């Protein structure tokens, strides 16, 4: 099978998850190793995490610290390490103009992913969200760029109404997401909602599959509970990467303050990890 055919098949598999009957979990990886372990655990798809990638590069998860070219290199390494479909966290598209977003989508597909999210954060503290007209045009440009590729690409539109403190965040989120759906978004995402009633209302009011993020403090829903509310997709953002770094910090404190090494009890044995990663590269054995 040619690489293009493989890419198309992964895109079709990923798109089908969003139209199927079941709620699914899409965990976020930050490097090839974490991606391989998650894929081998049985998840049907993965996403990247811009936060986790930034941390792995020793950078904060702030706009402008990780360049588009750096992000694409990391995304490509993750996508090429696994056989499952991968969706990319593309932040705000690495540029305000619709053509910037279109180019980011083109590069992401070239890097091997079959989905990606574009958010409406402007980077301006005074007006934290792009004007809805511009935000919609950015989603339209992303859709057109994806369709031009020939790869079935699942476009997720994200609005940060709840994270930026805009007035009437629910009404504004519904307005924006339905507009983004009209512009060609396949999936709609609103981070920051923490109560069941609002999630259920969002599912009712928005025309399209809803994605939520778990792993944040104050969000204690299970997959079955979210499925019961009508949620289609669940991601975990950078929470797994932050948890891994939390272990590093706790281990550092233990070694420095107590001179002990009990953190090692949580490790996967070297032989097991070497055997696992070797099995992914049989031609090199």
């Amino acid at each position: 099978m040619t690489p293009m055919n493989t890419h198309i098949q992964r895109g079709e598999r990923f798109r089908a998850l969003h139209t199927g009957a079941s709620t699914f979990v899409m965990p976020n990886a930050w490097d090839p190793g974490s991606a391989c372990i998650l894929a081998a655990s049985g998840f049907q798809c993965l996403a990247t995490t811009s936060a986790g990638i930034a941390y792995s590069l020793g950078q904060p998860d702030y706009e402008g610290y990780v360049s588009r070219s750096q992000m694409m290199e990391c995304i490509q390494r993750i996508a090429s390490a696994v056989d499952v479909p991968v969706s990319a966290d593309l932040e705000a598209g690495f540029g305000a103009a619709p053509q910037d977003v279109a180019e980011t989508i083109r590069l992401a597909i070239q890097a091997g992913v079959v989905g990606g999210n574009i958010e409406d954060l402007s980077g301006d503290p005074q007006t934290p969200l792009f004007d809805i007209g511009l935000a919609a045009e950015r989603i339209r440009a992303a859709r057109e760029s994806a369709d031009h590729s020939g790869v079935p690409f699942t476009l997720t539109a994200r609005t940060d109404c709840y994270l930026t403190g805009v007035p009437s965040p629910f009404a504004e989120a519904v307005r924006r997401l339905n507009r983004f759906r009209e512009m060609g978004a396949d999936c709609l995402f609103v981070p920051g909602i923490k109560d069941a009633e609002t999630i259920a209302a969002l599912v009712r009011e928005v025309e399209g599959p809803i994605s939520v993020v778990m792993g944040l403090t104050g969000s204690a829903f299970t997959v079955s509970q979210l499925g019961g509310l009508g949620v289609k997709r669940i991601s975990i953002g950078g929470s797994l990467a932050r948890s891994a770094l939390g272990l590093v910090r706790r281990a550092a404190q233990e070694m420095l303050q107590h001179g002990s090494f009990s953190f090692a009890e949580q490790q996967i044995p070297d032989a097991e990890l070497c055997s696992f990663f070797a099995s992914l590269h049989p031609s090199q054995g």
Side-chain angles (χ1 to χ4, degrees):
M1 185 177 296
T2 66
M4 183 60 175
N5 286 339
T6 298
H7 205 168
I8 290 172
Q9 283 197 355
R10 290 179 184 175
E12 291 171 344
R13 284 159 52 197
F14 189 53
R15 179 166 289 179
L17 291 172
H18 295 77
T19 57
S22 301
T23 301
F24 66 97
V25 178
M26 181 182 70
N28 302 69
W30 59 94
D31 63 10
S34 60
C36 288
I37 289 175
L38 289 168
S41 297
F43 290 101
Q44 299 178 81
C45 61
L46 303 177
T48 67
T49 160
S50 61
I53 288 173
Y55 305 149
S56 73
L57 296 173
Q59 301 288 351
D61 182 30
Y62 296 156
E63 182 180 0
Y65 275 81
V66 178
S67 68
R68 180 165 64 182
S69 61
Q70 285 179 301
M71 187 63 73
M72 292 302 165
E73 289 173 6
C74 294
I75 288 170
Q76 183 169 30
R77 286 196 292 270
I78 291 169
S80 63
V82 295
D83 293 328
V84 298
V86 175
S87 183
D89 179 353
L90 300 173
E91 304 181 90
F94 294 92
Q99 57 265 35
D100 295 326
V101 178
E103 177 65 4
T104 293
I105 295 293
R106 186 190 71 81
L107 292 171
I109 294 172
Q110 183 177 298
V113 300
V114 294
N117 66 277
I118 297 294
E119 60 196 41
D120 58 1
L121 276 174
S122 68
D124 180 357
Q126 300 303 315
T127 53
L129 301 184
F130 287 115
D131 171 80
I132 189 170
L134 175 57
E137 285 304 312
R138 284 159 44 83
I139 296 301
R140 184 201 294 273
R143 178 77 273 158
E144 292 175 352
S145 180
D147 290 346
H148 185 71
S149 72
V151 173
F153 186 89
T154 299
L155 175 62
T156 298
R158 164 178 162 168
T159 184
D160 280 53
C161 293
Y162 277 85
L163 299 183
T164 55
V166 301
S168 305
F170 180 80
E172 183 63 14
V174 168
R175 184 170 79 107
R176 284 174 174 261
L177 292 184
N178 281 326
R179 183 76 173 275
F180 297 160
R181 178 70 167 175
E182 293 173 358
M183 295 297 103
D186 300 294
C187 187
L188 298 314
F189 177 33
V190 188
I193 298 177
K194 298 180 180 180
D195 64 281
E197 293 76 13
T198 305
I199 293 173
L202 191 72
V203 170
R204 290 193 302 270
E205 297 295 326
V206 173
E207 296 291 333
I210 294 295
S211 181
V212 300
V213 59
M214 289 291 107
L216 306 179
T217 55
S219 299
F221 297 104
T222 65
V223 173
S224 62
Q225 287 171 333
L226 289 168
L229 295 173
V231 170
K232 178 56 60 178
R233 189 178 83 187
I234 304 165
S235 65
I236 59 171
S239 61
L240 187 57
R242 288 190 292 270
S243 297
L245 290 174
L247 172 60
V248 173
R249 185 165 69 180
R250 289 192 299 275
Q253 292 169 344
E254 178 189 355
M255 288 184 284
L256 287 170
Q257 296 174 13
H258 305 288
S260 58
F261 307 91
S262 66
F263 68 88
E265 296 171 5
Q266 302 179 59
Q267 68 182 301
I268 302 173
D270 178 71
E272 183 179 340
L273 279 175
C274 287
S275 177
F276 168 70
F277 287 116
S279 71
L280 304 177
H281 307 280
S283 62
Q284 299 180 25

